[in-house]
């Protein structure tokens, strides 16, 4: 039986390496930047960046939907910038590798529909402020941040590996290593975990890897399987986690020629677990992409990760989840909650209940202050749209820079 404290579901005895040990299985998944849903995130954030480049005070809530031969962008944007939205959209589709109808979409010929209006004046008056620090939250929301000691990034290993497998799928397509790969792709990895003496999940081994890669008509399944093992799995997954019992499923559907928006409609905000913590943390329900930082869904999520990572990195706990809630038009959060899953170290005499007070003292969680502190009016959002918003060391991602507390 699985450990009662594990977040995974029940596993059969045959699916675990050692049924007598207190281990459990946990899976995370990821998608390439060209997966239909992720393509929509990228397009929405490309529009965010285009606006912020010319007008850093732009207010943006931009949703994208795509299907065979068509991309539709709809939402509310208030900006002084003059943007050629159709060009921004076509450029993003091109960059995702969709340059041929056979791939599911062609940036040159696809129909582009733009249905954007200005932000509602009712919402605008509740957000507007003379000073950036006093900006009200652009909507009511609940956000979560997470960190743990599993990896150097202070992220869950299952999520890190799934994300790197997807990024590698795109890399071998772009650099020509595998000439049969097309843009769409998805990865899933299941790890076997055990709990240490403190009850913290520790990865033991890789139980299984599933990769689905869109491919050209002529390539054989045997070549697909061999190439994915050699050029995607081996460069990404540390050998120490692989053993003779690890299961591999390379394109288990048997055929994946029709892909991208041709096979599945895409929509902004439909990959929240891929964007965040691979299923290890709670999620407030709000999408991250397509929004400027006055939307607390986005800025609050970045701040919550900043707090959680800083608490773990500074030794206050081994694992941490932070919840923050906001109300539309109000600058100060309604609530802050810190859960260390029983791993609080009592550093500096700080019990878990004391950590909330410390967080509220050390971090100004008003949306305007988060925008200012993390410099979120820069055009850096498109970079976040694929391969996760967290656990990356890009210089622009200031929420990943540990604060000394």
């Amino acid at each position: 039986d699985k450990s009662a404290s594990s977040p995974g579901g029940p596993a059969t005895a045959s699916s675990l390496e050692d049924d007598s040990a207190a281990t459990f299985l946990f899976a995370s998944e990821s998608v390439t930047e060209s997966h239909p849903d992720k393509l929509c995130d990228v397009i929405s954030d490309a529009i965010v960046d285009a606006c912020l480049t010319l007008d850093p005070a732009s207010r943006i809530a931009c949703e994208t939907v795509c299907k065979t031969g068509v991309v539709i962008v709809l939402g509310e944007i208030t900006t002084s910038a003059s943007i050629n939205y159709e060009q921004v959209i076509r450029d993003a589709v091109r960059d995702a590798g969709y340059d041929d109808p056979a791939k599911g979409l062609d940036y040159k010929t696809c129909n582009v529909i733009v249905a954007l209006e200005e932000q509602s004046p009712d919402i605008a008056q509740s957000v507007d402020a003379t000073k950036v620090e006093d900006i009200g939250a652009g909507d009511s929301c609940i956000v979560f941040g997470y960190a743990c000691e599993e990896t150097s990034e202070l992220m869950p290993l299952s999520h890190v590996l799934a994300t790197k497998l997807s990024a590698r799928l795109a890399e071998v397509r772009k650099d020509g290593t595998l000439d049969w790969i097309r843009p769409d792709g998805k990865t899933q990895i299941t790890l076997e975990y055990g709990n240490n003496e403190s009850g913290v999940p520790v990865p033991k081994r890789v139980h299984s890897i599933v990769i689905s890669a869109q491919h050209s008509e002529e390539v054989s399944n045997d070549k697909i399987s061999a190439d994915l093992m050699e050029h995607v799995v081996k460069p990404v997954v540390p050998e120490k986690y692989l053993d003779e019992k690890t299961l591999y499923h390379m394109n288990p559907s048997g055929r994946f020629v029709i892909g991208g928006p041709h096979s599945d409609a895409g929509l902004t905000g439909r990959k929240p677990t891929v964007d965040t913590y691979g299923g290890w943390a709670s999620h407030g329900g709000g999408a991250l992409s397509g929004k400027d930082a006055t939307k607390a869904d986005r800025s609050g999520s970045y701040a919550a990760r900043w707090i959680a990572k800083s608490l773990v990195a500074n030794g206050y706990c081994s694992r941490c989840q932070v919840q923050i809630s906001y109300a539309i038009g109000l600058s100060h959060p309604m609530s802050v909650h810190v859960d260390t899953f029983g791993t609080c170290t009592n550093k500096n005499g700080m019990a878990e209940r004391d950590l909330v007070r410390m967080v509220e003292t050390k971090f100004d969680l008003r949306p305007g202050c988060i925008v200012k502190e993390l410099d979120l009016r820069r055009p850096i959002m498109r970079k976040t749209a694929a391969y996760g918003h967290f656990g990356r060391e890009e210089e622009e991602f200031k929420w990943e820079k540990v604060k000394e507390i």
Side-chain angles (χ1 to χ4, degrees), residues 32-36 38-39 42-43 89-108 110 169-171 173-175 179-185 214 257 259-261 382 387:
T32 68
E33 65 213 64
S34 310
H35 179 282
K38 202 38 68 188
L39 171 63
V42 170
I43 292 170
I89 293 163
R90 291 191 188 279
D91 288 349
V93 173
R94 178 200 64 206
D95 294 346
Y98 288 114
D99 54 9
D100 187 327
K103 296 178 181 180
L105 198 63
D106 184 350
Y107 78 95
K108 300 183 295 294
C110 66
L169 264 186
E171 186 180 343
R173 170 180 64 85
K174 292 176 181 177
D175 67 15
D179 58 6
W180 53 263
I181 279 198
R182 285 180 173 173
D184 197 358
Q214 187 188 9
V257 174
R382 181 174 174 174
Y387 311 117

Side-chain angles (χ1 to χ4, degrees), residues 202-218:
V202 178
K204 302 291 187 184
R205 57 183 287 274
V206 171
H207 168 272
S208 56
I209 297 174
V210 182
I211 298 179
S212 295
Q214 187 188 9
H215 59 86
S216 60
E217 183 80 50
E218 63 281 354

Side-chain angles (χ1 to χ4, degrees), residues 240-388:
K240 66 179 181 178
Y241 291 115
L242 304 174
D243 57 35
E244 69 281 357
K245 294 184 179 180
T246 300
L247 304 173
Y248 302 94
H249 297 288
M250 305 291 120
N251 276 23
S253 69
R255 181 176 168 86
F256 189 7
V257 174
I258 298 171
H262 188 184
S263 64
D264 296 287
L267 185 65
T268 299
R270 210 156 54 181
K271 286 291 174 282
T273 300
V274 171
D275 285 338
T276 53
Y277 306 102
W280 284 94
S282 301
H283 194 278
L288 297 175
S289 290
K291 300 173 178 177
D292 74 278
T294 65
K295 313 298 188 290
D297 277 326
R298 186 165 212 161
S299 52
S301 293
Y302 293 170
R305 163 62 178 171
W306 188 31
I307 294 165
K309 184 174 184 180
S310 296
L311 288 173
V312 172
N314 281 284
Y316 288 98
C317 51
S318 301
R319 188 176 170 220
C320 180
Q321 177 171 273
V322 174
Q323 185 204 55
I324 311 171
S325 66
Y326 290 95
I328 186 168
L330 303 183
S331 56
H332 288 279
M334 294 293 94
S335 64
V336 179
H337 175 66
V338 176
D339 183 359
T340 67
F341 305 95
T343 69
C344 183
T345 61
N346 295 309
K347 179 181 176 180
N348 299 333
M350 291 275 186
E352 183 166 290
R353 64 180 177 274
D354 302 316
L355 295 180
V356 171
R357 286 194 289 273
M358 182 178 71
V359 165
E360 291 176 328
T361 302
K362 300 291 186 180
F363 296 87
D364 193 327
L365 296 177
R366 291 176 291 171
C369 292
I370 297 170
V371 169
K372 197 171 181 180
E373 188 81 20
L374 299 181
D375 206 1
L376 295 179
R377 284 183 161 173
R378 293 167 298 154
I380 61 169
M381 301 309 185
R382 181 174 174 174
K383 189 180 280 192
T384 70
Y387 311 117

Side-chain angles (χ1 to χ4, degrees), residues 2 40 71 104 123 130-131 135 160 187-188 218 230 243 251 253 263 266-267 274 278 316 320 352 364 388 405:
K2 72 179 181 68
C40 289
V71 178
I123 296 175
T130 306
K131 295 194 301 181
I135 288 174
V160 169
T187 62
Q188 183 187 102
E218 63 281 354
E230 185 64 30
D243 57 35
N251 276 23
S253 69
S263 64
L267 185 65
V274 171
Y316 288 98
C320 180
E352 183 166 290
D364 193 327
I405 51 176

Side-chain angles (χ1 to χ4, degrees), residues 131-146:
K131 295 194 301 181
V132 67
E133 293 89 341
D134 296 327
I135 288 174
D139 201 355
S140 300
C141 64
I142 300 163
V143 298
F144 290 89
Y146 183 83

